[in-house]
Amino acid sequence: MDNAPGNPIPPAVIVVMGVSGSGKSTVASLLAGRLGWEFEDGDDFHPPANVEKMQAGHPLTDEDRWPWLAAIAAWIDRLRAEGRHGVVTCSALKRAYREILVGDRPDVRLVYLKGDRDLIGRRMAARHGHFMPTSLLDSQFRTLEEPASDENPLVVSIGATPQAIVAEIGGALTGRPAHGA
């Protein structure tokens, strides 16, 4: 993969972040497939107590999140140490959380899926079988600290189709314009 302008090291791992319902899992799995990289859903790193808490409609605390974030960071470090590439999803709502995931890893890149509360709320209401209830969406937006420019995020609007979003991400990461999915 070619270097993106302003990003001196091509990513080894891409962290697809955003509030619940922003399309992280769909976009990240399509992106991993397009790149031929490994994919992990950050939700799979949650301990059962976290999932139970969210299913009951209770937002997670920072104390709930630290072990989850550490597990994702360990996966990232394992891939990097083995010279492999991957895409992982994680809400990464606060800068402190992103520091755990990206920190001083110059080959880990954030992709922020950005959307407004109404669109995401409609999408969450239409999905079935996910442990995160729509009732927690407002707490997600209250917690969200959008990534700052010094975090070098790739910010992508979620208004397009997942395939178009993946094409946009691929184009931005390679420095070439997107030509469809």
Side-chain angles (χ1 to χ4, degrees):
M1 178 179 289
D2 296 336
N3 284 339
N7 192 28
I9 298 174
V13 176
I14 297 169
V15 177
V16 178
M17 64 158 290
V19 299
S20 183
S22 61
K24 294 183 300 291
S25 297
T26 300
V27 168
S29 65
L30 289 171
L31 180 62
R34 179 182 177 134
L35 297 171
W37 291 7
E38 294 179 45
F39 167 72
E40 285 290 335
D41 192 315
D43 287 343
D44 294 339
F45 291 89
H46 274 298
N50 283 7
V51 174
E52 291 167 13
K53 189 171 184 177
M54 288 183 282
Q55 284 176 328
H58 303 290
L60 298 178
T61 64
D62 285 349
E63 290 72 30
D64 297 324
R65 287 187 177 99
W66 299 137
W68 169 62
L69 293 164
I72 296 171
W75 180 82
I76 290 170
D77 287 339
R78 188 168 49 256
L79 256 64
R80 293 172 66 236
E82 295 171 2
R84 297 173 13 225
H85 297 278
V87 180
V88 63
T89 63
C90 180
S91 53
L93 298 176
K94 291 184 179 181
R95 185 179 186 115
Y97 307 161
R98 296 187 295 272
E99 280 294 319
I100 293 169
L101 300 173
V102 179
D104 61 356
R105 300 171 182 94
D107 57 346
V108 177
R109 184 82 189 269
L110 286 175
V111 173
Y112 170 39
L113 299 182
K114 183 175 181 169
D116 68 50
R117 197 253 179 255
D118 291 337
L119 173 60
I120 293 172
R122 287 192 306 274
R123 288 182 178 182
M124 284 182 76
R127 71 183 184 184
H128 302 285
H130 194 278
F131 63 82
M132 175 68 98
T134 306
S135 62
L136 290 180
L137 183 57
D138 288 332
S139 76
Q140 292 255 305
F141 273 102
R142 277 193 305 274
T143 302
L144 177 64
E145 297 170 1
E146 292 191 340
S149 60
D150 67 326
E151 294 178 84
N152 194 28
L154 173 55
V155 180
V156 182
S157 169
I158 64 165
T161 66
Q163 293 79 8
I165 292 169
V166 168
E168 181 179 344
I169 295 167
L173 291 175
T174 62
R176 294 188 291 269
H179 292 100

